Amino acid sequence: MSKKVLVVGGVAGGASAAARLRRLDESAEIIMFERDEYISFANCGLPYYIGETIKEREKLLVQTPESMKNRFNIDVRVNSEVISLDTRKKLVTVRSKDRGMYLETYDYVVLSPGARAIKPYIEGINSKRILTLRNIPDTDSIKDYVDNQGVNSAVVIGGGFVGVEMAENLKHRGVDVTLVEAAPHVLAPFDTDIVAAVEKEISDNEVQLILNDGVKSFKDLENGVEITLNSEKKLKADLVILAIGVIPDTGFLKESGIKLGAKGHILVNENMATNAENVYAVGDAIEVVDFVNKQNTAVPLAGPANKQGRIAADNIAGLNTTYKGTQGTSIIKVFGLTAASTGNNERTLKRLNIPYKTITVHPAAHASYYPGALMMTLKLIFSEEGKILGAQGVGSDGVDKRIDVIATVLRLGGTVTDLTELELCYAPPYSSAKDPVNMAGYVAENLLAGRVDVISTEQLVSYDRENTILLDVRTDIEFNAGHIEGALHIPVDGLRGRLGELDKDKEILEYCQIGLRGYVASRILTQNGFRVKNLDGGFKSCLLSPVKPGIANPVETSGEQQLIDPETQVIKGSEKKEVSDYKKSHRDCGMC
């Protein structure tokens, strides 16, 4: 006997469920309901269409009702909103533009209602100049407004992924943009030490960035909107984009008996099944299990939604497929930078009282002697036993594939030692003989093995000057181009001959440029009876950190990503012969 399956909502989760189910069961009757006109579109591409990086609107449309009917024999009903679900009688109530109100029976239901933009009660928020971005109609409204209403200035409220992408794309359209975020930093998945580089990139591209300040009220003016912030600072703009997050669109389920979480998300088990018989749920509207910490959470990402739709279809078709949790792997382009993350960040682990350790490295995306080697920053978070808990990266090139590799190892339950053992593809234009992922593994393994002890930039700021020695082990060029105030300078190559200058009764806090030579110095000092801590990520981490000690002779760092060499990062204008000699002696030197 054939099954009758209703899919409520399309886009990633619902459309994937419908297509997968058809591939598994040719006889099933499948009906998809979508409240809007568009059933499957590239949600993540919407800001880039507004910014005109994507020129053709049609490219945003992944599937149409006609294509779903022709290829998958699915009855797609657009402009049809499911407004209630009776799980006892197995009925849904539909409000349709064409058919009016009617009932539809089912054997199975897949709920994929998604989430809607948060629009809290704030005075003046209903202005026609305040828009949100969630779907194709929203996109059309914003693009039409920018194209035809003479928009010269915009304020984006919210520094999440959508907010940052909208700020960039409006800037590409020549609009004067201000980005306002109520939290201390943008992009919540990233820790402060990583997101600082992103915030600098935003500011360097002439987007005004206001942090730690929320919106108090809006006021319509004759030719714009006045935004009053909690600090009483006032902004004026032709257009406001509200991007402060999303909430699950599950109000129609309140009388259904389906269990919802504290914030309205649908509760499901590992098969994507709700507590109601034959009712499944997927996508942005559900709670998922965090793959790392095993707590319930909500992660509105397209990749997990697609997988969940597939799993729901599998179980309706009789396959016992399970969803093993979401690790939140995500990536964003911010002007010339890429930032990516996977797993848990430090804030999450601290909140859950989960012990962890971190290391930071600043490798080049490919061999430093091959032209165009650009620096990246990789941060690895791991347990005391070496199990990978999370990773974050930022840079101009190669960040995506490194976080993808680490995300894969994390998904397979891997450790930092597994990172050291990975055999990854290498040729000078693409990587180094020791890939940045290997390097992160080596540094973490050394830390766990007790071969080195580290100190973070934040800890260094409050170090005890009376009982410690701050030691810079870089070259004369690097030291003279900028160093931490109060540092004693002994280059690592001459360290063994100058150990007598150091007091063994004091702890030594030493640093190089990115940590590699600091590790060598640490090994020399430790084996000669000194107590030593190496600055995690070296002087580079110090420069990138929003909390830093005093810097003597600081050099302009606006060209940070245009790196000459990943270890020296010698400043432009330095003596060429000395730079060349240093590069020759440190090329693929194997300091780890």
Side-chain angles (χ1 to χ4, degrees):
M1 183 177 175
S2 64
K3 308 178 183 74
K4 183 177 182 181
V5 183
L6 307 183
V7 180
V8 181
V11 197
S16 293
R20 171 68 169 174
L21 184 58
R22 173 58 73 221
R23 293 193 296 269
L24 294 174
D25 187 348
E26 183 64 21
S27 67
E29 180 185 1
I30 305 172
I31 305 173
M32 178 186 292
F33 299 99
E34 173 56 51
R35 77 175 66 179
D36 297 318
E37 187 177 343
Y38 306 94
I39 60 164
S40 183
F41 56 89
N43 199 302
C44 299
L46 302 182
Y48 300 99
Y49 172 64
I50 294 169
E52 297 189 336
T53 298
I54 297 172
K55 303 288 186 184
E56 299 171 18
R57 183 177 179 276
E58 299 75 38
K59 290 185 176 180
L60 298 172
L61 306 179
V62 180
Q63 293 283 359
T64 65
E66 294 76 22
S67 66
M68 289 291 277
K69 178 64 175 177
N70 293 337
R71 180 166 296 179
F72 297 109
N73 191 28
I74 293 170
D75 179 2
V76 178
R77 303 178 186 177
V78 295
N79 298 312
S80 298
E81 181 179 7
V82 173
I83 60 173
S84 68
L85 171 62
D86 188 329
T87 56
R88 186 175 59 85
K89 295 181 180 179
K90 292 193 173 181
L91 289 171
V92 299
T93 303
V94 184
R95 181 168 56 208
S96 169
K97 181 179 179 180
D98 297 328
R99 305 188 190 188
M101 299 279 285
Y102 67 94
L103 300 176
E104 194 72 54
T105 62
Y106 68 84
D107 296 313
Y108 294 88
V109 170
V110 178
L111 298 171
S112 180
R116 54 188 172 84
I118 294 174
K119 198 171 182 181
Y121 176 74
I122 297 175
E123 182 183 344
I125 201 168
N126 292 320
S127 165
K128 66 180 182 180
R129 297 187 180 96
I130 300 175
L131 303 176
T132 59
L133 178 63
R134 190 64 187 163
N135 53 33
I136 294 287
D138 292 344
T139 305
D140 291 339
S141 296
I142 295 172
K143 191 166 190 308
D144 177 71
Y145 205 98
V146 175
D147 290 348
N148 300 309
Q149 298 300 319
V151 174
N152 296 310
S153 60
V155 171
V156 179
I157 310 296
F161 282 67
V162 172
V164 171
E165 289 170 346
M166 279 303 304
E168 176 180 351
N169 280 281
L170 288 171
K171 191 67 184 177
H172 283 167
R173 294 292 307 272
V175 176
D176 185 16
V177 182
T178 299
L179 179 60
V180 177
E181 170 55 54
H185 297 281
V186 299
L187 300 177
F190 296 91
D191 287 317
T192 302
D193 50 350
I194 297 296
V195 82
V198 176
E199 292 170 347
K200 182 177 186 301
E201 181 74 4
I202 292 170
S203 297
D204 285 350
N205 281 275
E206 299 181 345
V207 172
Q208 183 184 2
L209 185 58
I210 299 175
L211 300 172
N212 236 355
D213 207 352
V215 176
K216 182 177 182 180
S217 67
F218 298 102
K219 180 182 178 181
D220 261 331
L221 304 175
E222 184 177 345
N223 57 349
V225 181
E226 182 181 77
I227 304 101
T228 302
L229 303 182
N230 291 332
S231 64
E232 299 301 333
K233 180 181 179 69
K234 293 185 185 297
L235 306 171
K236 186 186 172 206
D238 300 324
L239 171 67
V240 174
I241 302 296
L242 198 63
I244 59 176
V246 296
I247 55 174
D249 207 349
T250 55
F252 71 103
L253 297 174
K254 288 185 177 178
E255 305 299 324
S256 68
I258 291 174
K259 291 183 179 178
L260 304 177
K263 295 183 179 180
H265 295 88
I266 304 167
L267 302 182
V268 296
N269 64 16
E270 62 182 4
N271 301 117
M272 312 314 302
T274 71
N275 63 297
E277 182 184 15
N278 293 354
V279 178
Y280 295 79
V282 301
D284 294 359
I286 70 168
E287 278 193 12
V288 295
V289 173
D290 185 296
F291 184 80
V292 174
N293 62 53
K294 308 307 178 187
Q295 303 293 309
N296 273 23
T297 186
V299 184
L301 292 172
N306 274 287
K307 296 176 183 68
Q308 293 155 12
R310 182 183 178 93
I311 289 169
D314 282 358
N315 284 284
I316 291 172
L319 305 178
N320 185 25
T321 309
T322 60
Y323 186 68
K324 297 177 176 62
T326 299
Q327 64 195 71
T329 306
S330 56
I331 191 166
I332 185 171
K333 173 189 174 296
V334 185
F335 294 99
L337 285 185
T338 297
S341 69
T342 189
N344 285 181
N345 58 23
E346 287 196 68
R347 287 191 304 278
T348 299
L349 295 170
K350 286 177 181 176
R351 176 172 54 82
L352 297 173
N353 295 315
I354 297 174
Y356 68 91
K357 294 180 179 295
T358 73
I359 61 92
T360 305
V361 294
H362 304 287
H366 61 248
S368 60
Y369 56 84
Y370 187 87
L374 298 174
M375 183 202 76
M376 72 176 74
T377 296
L378 287 180
K379 177 178 182 177
L380 189 64
I381 307 175
F382 48 97
S383 72
E384 295 173 343
E385 296 75 35
K387 187 173 181 180
I388 299 170
L389 303 176
Q392 299 164 42
V394 63
S396 296
D397 183 32
V399 170
D400 52 344
K401 69 178 181 178
R402 273 61 188 225
I403 293 298
D404 277 344
V405 168
I406 298 172
T408 303
V409 176
L410 190 159
R411 172 62 62 162
L412 297 176
T415 66
V416 299
T417 298
D418 292 318
L419 297 184
T420 71
E421 295 175 352
L422 291 175
E423 185 176 333
L424 303 171
C425 57
Y426 160 59
Y430 303 106
S431 184
S432 298
K434 290 181 296 189
D435 188 87
V437 170
N438 300 136
M439 297 295 291
Y442 290 138
V443 175
E445 196 175 53
N446 286 334
L447 178 62
L448 291 174
R451 299 186 190 102
V452 65
D453 196 3
V454 298
I455 184 172
S456 69
T457 299
E458 290 76 14
Q459 293 169 327
L460 184 64
V461 170
S462 58
Y463 78 95
D464 180 0
R465 290 177 179 265
E466 293 296 321
N467 296 304
T468 57
I469 297 172
L470 182 60
L471 178 64
D472 188 319
V473 300
R474 299 175 300 156
T475 64
D476 291 342
I477 297 176
E478 295 168 293
F479 183 81
N480 292 333
H483 58 270
I484 301 174
E485 289 179 349
L488 173 66
H489 179 221
I490 304 178
V492 66
D493 291 344
L495 183 59
R496 289 182 181 88
R498 297 177 62 180
L499 294 177
E501 299 177 29
L502 302 173
D503 186 349
K504 284 191 175 181
D505 291 332
K506 293 186 177 182
E507 185 175 39
I508 297 175
L509 310 178
E510 52 83 18
Y511 67 92
C512 65
Q513 190 71 8
I514 63 173
L516 296 182
R517 284 169 289 162
Y519 173 60
V520 175
S522 174
R523 295 303 298 156
I524 293 170
L525 293 166
T526 299
Q527 292 177 83
N528 279 279
F530 292 91
R531 293 177 295 121
V532 187
K533 282 187 171 67
N534 184 28
L535 178 61
D536 185 33
F539 188 65
K540 191 65 180 180
S541 284
C542 193
L543 289 175
L544 294 175
S545 175
V547 180
K548 58 174 67 72
I551 305 296
N553 301 327
V555 173
E556 174 58 43
T557 58
S558 61
E560 288 295 340
Q561 298 301 320
Q562 301 307 311
L563 155 75
I564 297 174
D565 181 90
E567 174 60 14
T568 65
Q569 295 170 41
V570 179
I571 308 303
K572 291 179 181 179
S574 298
E575 187 182 346
K576 290 183 180 180
K577 182 180 183 303
E578 192 168 355
V579 172
S580 176
D581 290 346
Y582 190 87
K583 288 181 69 179
K584 288 177 182 177
S585 67
H586 286 76
R587 192 173 287 168
D588 288 330
C589 61
M591 286 184 178
C592 273

